[in-house]
Amino acid sequence: MFKTHRIPMQAIGLLALASFSAGCEKTPAPDTTDEDFSLEVSQVTTTKFTLDCFPADKEMTYLLMVSSQEYLDKNGIDDDESLYQDDIRYIREEMSYGTPIEELTKTGDMTGLEYAVEPEKEIVVYAYGIDPSTLERLTEICYKRFTTPAVEMTDVKFAISTEVNGPDIRVEITPDGYEGYYFFEAVETATLEQAASAYEYAYDSFSANLSYYLWMSDSLEEALESLCWKGSASDTFTGDPETSYTIMAYAVNDEGLVCSKPEVVEVMTEAVGMSGNELTISVTGIKSRSALLSVTPSDNEDPYTCAVVTDEEIAGKSEEEIIRYILDYYWYNLEQIYGPFSEDLTELEPGTGYTVCAFGYQANTATTSLFSEKFTTPEAVEGK
């Protein structure tokens, strides 16, 4: 059993770097002789290892657990009893969610079990017999301890240029003689200052991003291709107005690990200014359930947003109140749009009045007055 709250689960594979085999090592308690289990750890890499467990009693139910020493220290677990009590709390919590005890325990030999870990972590594997009915511990606790290897670091330099426009930060990155994967992001400087180091923040941040992309991808390579950059790249980040941000760029190896010291540049965003952008709205091809929406700005460099609401939603509201209503209730669906925009409106209701609302938009702030266009869908005709 792998306690997911102890070590994050990451499906990242690496080449084997080391192999360990041992009987029972008492950790955190002093070493004692115990022949109940043989724990064998092999194929240890920066991100995973393989575990074999051979109980002396092949019929006995037992717990097989993996933890980090960091977790044990943080929770004051320094002897067999405190470890056992922590396991019992975990088991009872899992059972309260409907997990049967059979899924939390093992019986017989277990071979080829793979667990995900992080680099440079002291890992503690342990096993002991347990009564599945009473949860009473039946044997001494058998331990195996090892440390995962560090990431092989690469000396990579990045040229970072930035351009600030209100709360928007335009970033351009050029690696210096480096052709591998890399990632860059904008981090609020106050948040970064709370991290132990820029590298640790980058490692945790990228790991979280990669986990999401792995969930959507068929392989690590596919996830890295989608998430990372190679060669020169650029992107625009929108932050809070008048706030300090740190742009971080760092190399990522083929195993999905941050492998360079982050290159950093600090920038300050500006206040959101009002825009002179004028938006022309057109709605054509109106049918009972669909229409074609087009918006043309007078300035393609100024961002704006657009939303379609029913007349009933905004009845009696002033222009300022309509803008605030859209910002408050449609914020999750609003996008910064640059240049001409068109979209097929579908799933409209027949015989319903709608209003297209558009306005300059940065950092969830309106930068122009409201531009709007009303239209009404015709009643549905049977068979159409």
Side-chain angles (χ1 to χ4, degrees):
M1 171 59 58
F2 194 110
K3 288 191 178 179
T4 55
H5 63 285
R6 290 190 172 182
I7 306 175
M9 295 292 286
Q10 297 177 18
I12 303 175
L14 299 173
L15 297 175
L17 298 180
S19 177
F20 300 86
S21 177
C24 294
E25 302 175 3
K26 295 303 291 182
T27 307
D31 288 354
T32 60
T33 300
D34 178 21
E35 301 300 329
D36 290 317
F37 295 91
S38 175
L39 300 175
E40 298 181 4
V41 175
S42 62
Q43 297 180 317
V44 179
T45 73
T46 48
T47 60
K48 73 173 185 178
F49 71 93
T50 299
L51 173 63
D52 298 334
C53 177
F54 303 101
D57 183 349
K58 308 302 182 184
E59 304 299 322
M60 179 179 62
T61 298
Y62 63 94
L63 277 181
L64 179 61
M65 307 293 282
V66 176
S67 179
S68 67
Q69 185 60 45
E70 180 181 23
Y71 173 88
L72 301 179
D73 293 342
K74 181 179 179 179
N75 290 276
I77 300 172
D78 56 6
D79 57 24
D80 286 0
E81 183 59 25
S82 60
L83 182 64
Y84 168 65
Q85 291 301 327
D86 187 71
D87 289 342
I88 294 302
R89 282 191 293 271
Y90 172 75
I91 291 171
R92 286 174 176 160
E93 180 181 9
E94 289 296 311
M95 292 178 68
S96 71
Y97 298 143
T99 305
I101 188 65
E102 291 79 12
E103 291 186 14
L104 302 172
T105 56
K106 309 286 186 185
T107 304
D109 294 344
M110 291 289 138
T111 60
L113 303 178
E114 287 193 353
Y115 294 92
V117 288
E118 295 180 351
E120 292 187 276
K121 294 293 184 180
E122 189 172 4
I123 305 301
V124 180
V125 180
Y126 59 94
Y128 57 89
I130 191 170
D131 187 311
S133 299
T134 65
L135 302 185
E136 178 185 359
R137 179 157 66 94
L138 303 178
T139 70
E140 294 294 315
I141 302 178
C142 176
Y143 296 86
K144 174 63 193 172
R145 178 191 298 272
F146 64 96
T147 300
T148 55
V151 177
E152 184 176 349
M153 301 296 283
T154 304
D155 185 15
V156 179
K157 301 296 182 183
F158 297 92
I160 304 175
S161 63
T162 62
E163 180 181 350
V164 176
N165 177 22
D168 292 342
I169 309 169
R170 178 70 176 176
V171 181
E172 294 185 358
I173 306 288
T174 302
D176 184 7
Y178 174 70
E179 299 180 352
Y181 293 118
Y182 70 93
F183 188 76
F184 65 97
E185 59 185 309
V187 184
E188 194 168 332
T189 303
T191 299
L192 185 60
E193 290 173 346
Q194 297 175 6
S197 68
Y199 176 82
E200 288 197 20
Y201 182 92
Y203 185 95
D204 291 342
S205 174
F206 185 78
S207 295
N209 278 299
L210 183 58
S211 294
Y212 175 73
Y213 275 78
L214 282 169
W215 177 69
M216 297 190 301
S217 305
D218 293 329
S219 66
L220 172 60
E221 181 181 4
E222 182 181 324
L224 291 174
E225 287 289 338
S226 299
L227 178 61
C228 298
W229 287 271
K230 287 184 177 180
S232 297
S234 61
D235 202 357
T236 299
F237 301 94
T238 299
D240 292 328
E242 298 179 290
T243 302
S244 176
Y245 285 86
T246 298
I247 310 302
M248 305 177 64
Y250 44 84
V252 176
N253 63 24
D254 291 342
E255 298 152 350
L257 300 174
V258 176
C259 63
S260 77
K261 180 181 177 181
E263 196 89 41
V264 299
V265 170
E266 189 173 335
V267 297
M268 178 71 72
T269 56
E270 302 167 340
V272 177
M274 296 303 292
S275 167
N277 206 4
E278 295 186 1
L279 306 172
T280 301
I281 303 170
S282 172
V283 182
T284 59
I286 301 171
K287 299 179 181 179
S288 60
R289 297 187 183 275
S290 64
L292 175 62
L293 166 66
S294 299
V295 181
T296 304
S298 62
D299 187 342
N300 291 339
E301 301 300 318
D302 272 357
Y304 64 94
T305 195
C306 183
V308 180
V309 297
T310 63
D311 291 346
E312 183 180 0
E313 286 181 80
I314 57 174
K317 290 182 171 60
S318 67
E319 289 191 354
E320 291 77 12
E321 289 172 334
I322 291 172
I323 289 175
R324 176 44 53 192
Y325 172 80
I326 292 172
L327 292 176
D328 287 345
Y329 292 96
Y330 287 88
W331 60 268
Y332 58 90
N333 205 32
L334 296 180
E335 297 181 0
Q336 283 194 176
I337 306 170
Y338 292 84
F341 167 78
S342 63
E343 182 177 4
D344 288 321
L345 304 178
T346 59
E347 300 183 4
L348 300 176
E349 291 294 327
T352 302
Y354 289 92
T355 301
V356 180
C357 301
F359 49 88
Y361 178 72
Q362 273 190 306
N364 202 38
T365 301
T367 60
T368 69
S369 58
L370 179 69
F371 297 85
S372 62
E373 180 74 16
K374 291 181 175 293
F375 70 97
T376 301
T377 55
E379 294 291 346
V381 178
E382 187 175 350
K384 293 186 178 180

